[in-house]
């Protein structure tokens, strides 16, 4: 999308997926093979109509693109803009987040606890918060701590740090085949990528924990919303034959927006939280 290669963008999300159902997998292969008998508009239109029969209704991007291409074959930009705006924006946000995540990892390896000259921080003013680059005077006065440091989500109006991180973030963009100008000139009139800023580190608040012993691996350890509505309490089942005692820690905490509990748990346990690991 950022490079303006809408044909490749469509081919990416139309590519076969490992968890596809048989009919969806066939539909995706049909799309890949649409030009076996020649790269013509008629062949693509016919393929798009066949493909739609194998897609389920939850494949929003795929269905939207195929419906357009069945009527306007080889007009990939038109087809892409038929995808709902929120989903198209999510694709772009994914690129912003990928760059931010890699930049944050690099910044932490540079220095985990100290603020550096040139780091960006958000300073509260009487009107709106302003982005400020840390100076040597700020360091001398201990004006900021590491939890004040922010990194930009790349956009047309975002500012790079005034230190090594500027070159790092530009290199990360280069590795993806894009530049800041791509974010300024997105070839989609409905979308605007102004950019934003996110805290490098975030401290959870309202943190508490409780150690519980239980036996049944399916034993509920926290109240569901339904249990709260019905006034049902947690009751630990007694041990049955062959069941050994298990120990759990139930924790609670509050995070601001754009922060994720899965990442907080990963850092707490020093273990991956992906489904593959679990």
């Amino acid at each position: 999308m950022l490079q303006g290669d809408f044909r490749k963008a469509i081919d990416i999300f139309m590519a076969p997926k490992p968890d596809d159902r048989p009919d969806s997998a066939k539909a995706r292969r049909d799309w890949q093979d649409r030009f076996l008998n020649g790269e013509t508009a008629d062949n693509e239109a016919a393929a798009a109509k066949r493909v739609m029969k194998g897609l389920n209704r939850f494949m929003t991007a795929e269905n939207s693109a195929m419906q357009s291409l069945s009527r306007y074959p080889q007009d990939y930009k038109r087809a892409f803009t038929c995808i709902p705006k929120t989903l198209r924006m999510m694709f772009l946000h994914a690129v912003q987040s990928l760059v931010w995540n890699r930049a944050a990892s690099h910044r932490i390896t540079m220095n985990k606890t100290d603020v550096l000259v040139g780091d960006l921080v958000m300073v509260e003013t009487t009107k709106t918060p302003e982005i400020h680059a840390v100076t040597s005077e700020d360091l001398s006065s201990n004006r900021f701590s590491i939890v004040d440091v922010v990194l930009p989500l790349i956009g047309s109006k975002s500012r790079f740090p005034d230190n090594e991180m500027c070159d790092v973030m530009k290199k990360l963009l280069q590795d993806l085949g894009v530049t800041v100008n791509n974010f300024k000139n997105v070839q989609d009139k409905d979308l605007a990528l102004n950019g934003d800023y996110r805290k490098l580190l975030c401290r959870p608040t309202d943190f508490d924990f409780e150690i519980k012993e239980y036996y049944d691996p399916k034993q509920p350890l926290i109240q569901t919303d339904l249990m709260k509505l019905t006034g049902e309490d947690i009751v630990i089942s007694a041990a049955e034959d062959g069941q050994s005692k298990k120990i759990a820690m139930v924790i609670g905490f509050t995070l601001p927006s754009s922060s994720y509990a899965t990442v907080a748990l990963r850092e707490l346990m020093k273990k991956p939280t992906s489904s593959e690991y679990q």
Side-chain angles (χ1 to χ4, degrees), residues 51-238:
V51 167
M52 283 190 289
K53 296 177 182 178
L55 301 176
N56 69 56
R57 63 190 180 92
F58 299 107
M59 295 178 173
T60 304
E62 293 90 336
N63 279 308
S64 300
M66 291 301 104
Q67 287 175 8
S68 176
L69 288 168
S70 68
R71 299 176 60 193
Y72 306 100
Q74 297 182 308
D75 190 344
Y76 302 108
K77 185 173 181 179
R78 177 197 286 266
F80 209 91
T81 55
C82 289
I83 298 171
K85 178 180 178 180
T86 51
L87 185 52
R88 281 181 283 142
M89 184 61 80
M90 189 179 296
F91 293 152
L92 295 175
H93 286 171
V95 180
Q96 289 178 309
S97 296
L98 177 63
V99 174
W100 193 96
N101 286 341
R102 290 176 175 175
S105 295
H106 185 93
R107 174 59 183 81
I108 290 296
T109 61
M110 288 170 56
N111 191 301
K112 293 183 178 181
T113 58
D114 296 332
V115 181
L116 303 176
V117 171
D119 279 342
L120 299 181
V121 294
M122 195 169 292
V123 179
E124 296 294 334
T125 65
T126 55
K127 296 181 180 180
T128 57
E130 294 181 355
I131 296 299
H132 168 75
V134 175
T135 65
S136 55
E137 290 77 14
D138 294 328
L139 291 186
S140 300
S141 62
N142 293 319
R143 183 181 177 188
F144 302 107
S145 70
I146 192 65
V147 294
D148 296 313
V149 175
V150 298
L151 284 175
L153 279 170
I154 303 298
S156 60
K157 297 182 180 179
S158 55
R159 173 182 176 181
F160 285 104
D162 290 348
N163 54 24
E164 176 187 328
M165 286 306 301
C166 176
D167 292 333
V168 168
M169 299 194 77
K170 289 181 178 179
K171 178 63 166 56
L172 289 170
L173 291 174
Q174 180 183 336
D175 291 343
L176 294 174
V178 295
T179 67
V180 175
N181 286 333
N182 292 126
F183 289 83
K184 295 178 180 178
N185 302 305
V186 179
Q187 295 182 35
D188 190 326
K189 58 182 175 57
D190 295 331
L191 306 182
L193 289 175
N194 293 328
D196 203 350
Y197 300 89
R198 294 283 183 269
K199 288 286 187 74
L200 176 64
L201 294 177
C202 177
R203 286 197 180 117
T205 58
D206 307 321
F207 192 93
D208 60 34
F209 71 94
E210 179 183 3
I211 303 297
K212 291 189 175 183
E213 297 180 352
Y214 65 105
Y215 302 92
D216 183 354
K218 297 183 179 180
Q219 166 75 54
L221 297 178
I222 59 174
Q223 280 184 308
T224 64
D225 290 340
L226 179 60
M227 292 172 71
K228 291 177 182 178
L229 287 172
T230 57
E232 182 181 353
D233 293 326
I234 295 292
V235 178
I236 304 296
S237 302

